[in-house]
Amino acid sequence: MASGVKPRVKVPKTASAGDTITIKSLISHKMESGQRKDKEGNLIPRSIINRFVVDFNGQNVIDVALEPAISTNPYFQFDATVHEAGEFTFTWYDDDGDVYETSKSIAMA
Amino acid sequence: MELNRRKLLAVGMAALGATGLGALPAFASLTDDEIAKFTGGAEAAAGDLKIGAPEIAENGNTVPIDVTAPGAVAVALFADGNPVPNVATFKFGPLNPSRAASTRIRLAKTQNVVAVAQMEDGTFQMASAEVKVTIGGCGG
Amino acid sequence: MRSTLGIATAITLVAGAGLAQDQSTLNIEGEAMVTEVTAPAHMENVDTIYSGWRFRSLETQALETDDFDNPGMVFVDQAIDLWDKVDGAANKACSSCHEGGVEEFAGLRASMPQVRDGELVTMENLVNDCRTDRMEAEPWKWSSGQMTAMTALIGLQSRGMPVDVKIDGDAAPFWEQGKELYYTAVGQLQMSCSNCHEDNYGVMIRADHLSQGQINGFPTYRLKNAKLNSSHGRFKGCMKNIRATPYAEGGPEFKSLELYLASRGQGLSVETPSVRN
């Protein structure tokens, strides 16, 4: 398991049906690009989060394929329209096979 | 002195046309290849697709950019001066009305950030923005 | 062309006059921060002091205004987890003794470093003293991820409060030492802190916009290394840049320098954890 990986997401607690809300997501991850070299001059192998998926009540909101050019501690901000109360699930997939998840609920105002 | 100042001002105010809707610059061929993979070789024209990027990146390690692609189902981002031009590909679901996203990327040097959008009707749009990446004086 | 003066200030060569203030008002999560104030009396060559935030580009400035845009905050989250984590032979977590929560520490960061029992101590010293004496745990390395996360969490409790450090009484000898270090030229390039941060703040050094070298936002998330940086870690980097052998992190020189630098920021708001390049 890549160590020290922690998600941090912002979803409003409530919204009215039909509102468009802004979601911010960050996860602490080195995003080792595969371009860097160690002290001996050997290439440090690539090890990044390669995919980020956000679903709401099972429906996809955004699906991002990440490449090494995404900065350390990948950040994404995007909108979503909510018509009902429910749960956003956030899933990050690591090159090393780990999967990091978190979720946030939203209620109808 | 006057001339100097004006010259420097002109350089400093370089990119008013950050959305690059005019003549698209010649990209490194590696980038062209990757774009072709995304479009299947189809033409990509200017449209409502927009990229927001700083004119001058304070630090090439973390450059905030955003892309807005009304009517797109997917947007692919490229950096034509990076060792690997692909940056990210966003697929938008039905609950995503604005077809926009913001993120932070790494840019190895001054180059163009290029966005290619796949529209709902199967056509493609393209936009680019030049970001100057400088060498700081006291990075530490 | 004349109206877009923001960029024009980048070419100003007179120290202090060229701030290139892309944005001069900082609100973090809606709370107004003081980023500009009259310099304290002991600063003979500077009239107004500015937070490092004022010298950064629009995009970098924006990252600090929202706690979900600020990448440093994910490390504060990690520190919140560490706060409750039992560590050491005494089987304690921070929360075992600090029952009021980390909020107990409101105001502490604003007055650090300070003298206790004749010794100048920094936040890192306080954390490690607790860890070694009371938790019977291993001390954390000065600029490690855990230490910077924890000092960021504790510092956050003072965010918005004015920097207010004691420089007289038993603090005076440390402050004098720090001041002397600030003005002493060192290294192959024979430069002192003052050459850049007092004589040339506001000027571009290649493509960097020189700040006054304030530390009111430390530990700070630097875009350059995408992590939290301690003040001593930053001092070390600066010294390496002028090709001087850096003093030790946690050593007496950097602690005295930290006190002196904190006093040069008297009245600015604590911005911990700030975002800088």
Side-chain angles (χ1 to χ4, degrees):
Chain A
M1 175 103 172
S3 66
V5 179
K6 193 165 177 72
R8 182 174 162 80
V9 305
K10 181 184 194 179
V11 174
K13 292 208 175 62
T14 59
S16 304
D19 274 356
T20 298
I21 61 167
T22 299
I23 296 178
K24 299 186 184 193
S25 70
L26 186 90
I27 187 163
S28 60
H29 192 284
K30 239 172 146 215
M31 297 292 282
E32 190 63 67
S33 64
Q35 299 288 334
R36 296 200 312 154
K37 293 201 175 119
D38 63 18
K39 285 192 201 117
E40 281 86 47
N42 306 312
L43 271 180
I44 303 171
R46 163 186 151 151
S47 189
I48 66 168
I49 286 185
N50 57 52
R51 193 166 167 220
F52 173 55
V53 180
V54 183
D55 290 330
F56 180 70
N57 288 349
Q59 251 200 327
N60 184 244
V61 178
I62 198 166
D63 188 336
V64 189
L66 290 76
E67 304 287 345
I70 297 291
S71 297
T72 302
N73 305 327
Y75 170 85
F76 292 103
Q77 179 186 314
F78 49 92
D79 290 343
T81 307
V82 283
H83 300 288
E84 54 185 358
E87 195 180 58
F88 283 95
T89 56
F90 302 82
T91 313
W92 292 263
Y93 298 87
D94 197 320
D95 274 350
D96 68 9
D98 285 325
V99 179
Y100 315 105
E101 286 173 303
T102 192
S103 57
K104 286 271 186 244
S105 301
I106 189 165
M108 284 292 104
Chain B
M1 196 57 185
E2 185 68 56
L3 212 60
N4 231 3
R5 180 191 287 262
R6 200 172 296 146
K7 237 194 189 169
L8 284 162
L9 269 176
V11 165
M13 303 207 310
L16 292 175
T19 52
L21 291 178
L24 294 168
F27 304 127
S29 64
L30 191 58
T31 307
D32 286 341
D33 291 344
E34 293 302 317
I35 292 175
K37 280 189 197 155
F38 183 65
T39 62
E43 279 295 300
D48 291 328
L49 173 63
K50 276 200 184 56
I51 302 177
E55 289 171 34
I56 303 174
E58 184 127 61
N59 194 296
N61 204 27
T62 311
V63 185
I65 59 145
D66 60 79
V67 62
T68 311
V73 297
V75 178
L77 276 179
F78 304 91
D80 71 3
N82 272 358
V84 174
N86 314 66
V87 176
T89 308
F90 299 86
K91 287 207 197 92
F92 301 112
L95 294 174
N96 192 321
S98 50
R99 316 293 162 94
S102 308
T103 185
R104 296 163 192 164
I105 69 175
R106 295 168 172 156
L107 294 176
K109 55 180 185 171
T110 296
Q111 59 188 289
N112 300 297
V113 175
V114 183
V116 181
Q118 182 183 19
M119 311 308 292
E120 275 160 5
D121 63 6
T123 60
F124 290 88
Q125 290 180 8
M126 190 189 281
S128 83
E130 193 199 35
V131 181
K132 292 192 188 12
V133 178
T134 55
I135 300 174
C138 49
Chain C
M1 191 129 110
R2 233 160 262 140
S3 58
T4 47
L5 50 75
I7 320 276
T9 51
I11 57 157
T12 309
L13 297 174
V14 178
L19 264 191
Q21 300 168 37
D22 291 284
Q23 195 69 269
S24 20
T25 314
L26 171 59
N27 286 304
I28 302 181
E29 294 282 314
E31 190 188 340
M33 299 284 133
V34 174
T35 62
E36 176 180 340
V37 83
T38 310
H42 61 77
M43 285 170 76
E44 295 131 4
N45 306 319
V46 179
D47 295 325
T48 311
I49 54 175
Y50 301 94
S51 161
W53 182 83
R54 293 285 284 271
F55 297 87
R56 304 275 57 89
S57 73
L58 265 175
E59 297 82 19
T60 307
Q61 288 184 320
L63 294 180
E64 199 179 308
T65 58
D66 177 305
D67 279 350
F68 279 88
D69 282 334
N70 184 335
M73 291 300 290
V74 73
F75 301 103
V76 169
D77 278 354
Q78 288 185 343
I80 292 174
D81 290 342
L82 282 174
W83 181 265
D84 287 322
K85 187 166 168 222
V86 168
D87 197 7
N91 234 26
K92 290 194 171 128
C94 312
S95 50
S96 314
C97 295
H98 298 290
E99 287 163 354
V102 71
E103 295 82 3
E104 272 182 16
F105 292 115
L108 179 60
R109 160 76 179 81
S111 64
M112 296 301 286
Q114 58 188 233
V115 176
R116 292 190 181 188
D117 296 326
E119 250 194 73
L120 180 62
V121 296
T122 71
M123 191 71 80
E124 292 84 353
N125 290 137
L126 295 182
V127 170
N128 273 340
D129 285 347
C130 254
R131 286 185 58 78
T132 53
D133 297 343
R134 291 177 271 288
M135 290 169 72
E136 292 171 46
E138 288 300 304
W140 282 334
K141 279 175 78 170
W142 202 269
S143 297
S144 62
Q146 292 150 312
M147 183 60 91
T148 52
M150 188 55 75
T151 57
L153 172 61
I154 300 172
L156 174 63
Q157 310 309 312
S158 293
R159 189 169 70 183
M161 300 171 96
V163 169
D164 184 16
V165 292
K166 189 166 167 350
I167 63 175
D168 56 7
D170 46 13
F174 301 104
W175 185 83
E176 290 293 344
Q177 186 196 15
K179 182 173 177 178
E180 199 184 315
L181 285 166
Y182 188 82
Y183 287 101
T184 305
V186 290
Q188 268 192 332
L189 297 185
Q190 278 296 291
M191 291 176 77
S192 64
C193 313
S194 59
N195 288 148
C196 285
H197 295 295
E198 184 172 276
D199 302 338
N200 284 297
Y201 71 86
V203 164
M204 302 301 288
I205 179 169
R206 287 208 282 190
D208 263 345
H209 197 191
L210 272 177
S211 71
Q212 288 183 337
Q214 297 288 356
I215 58 172
N216 58 308
F218 275 80
T220 182
Y221 184 90
R222 292 195 66 193
L223 301 184
K224 177 200 148 71
N225 58 16
K227 61 175 191 171
L228 287 174
N229 292 257
S230 64
S231 57
H232 292 202
R234 191 67 183 91
F235 300 161
K236 194 170 149 188
C238 269
M239 287 188 77
K240 278 189 181 169
N241 277 3
I242 58 175
R243 303 194 199 160
T245 307
Y247 302 116
E249 291 182 6
E253 299 88 357
F254 278 170
K255 290 208 285 192
S256 298
L257 186 60
E258 188 184 329
L259 174 62
Y260 177 67
L261 286 183
S263 78
R264 287 176 72 94
Q266 187 86 5
L268 293 176
S269 298
V270 170
E271 286 174 35
T272 308
S274 60
V275 180
R276 304 283 187 261
N277 71 332

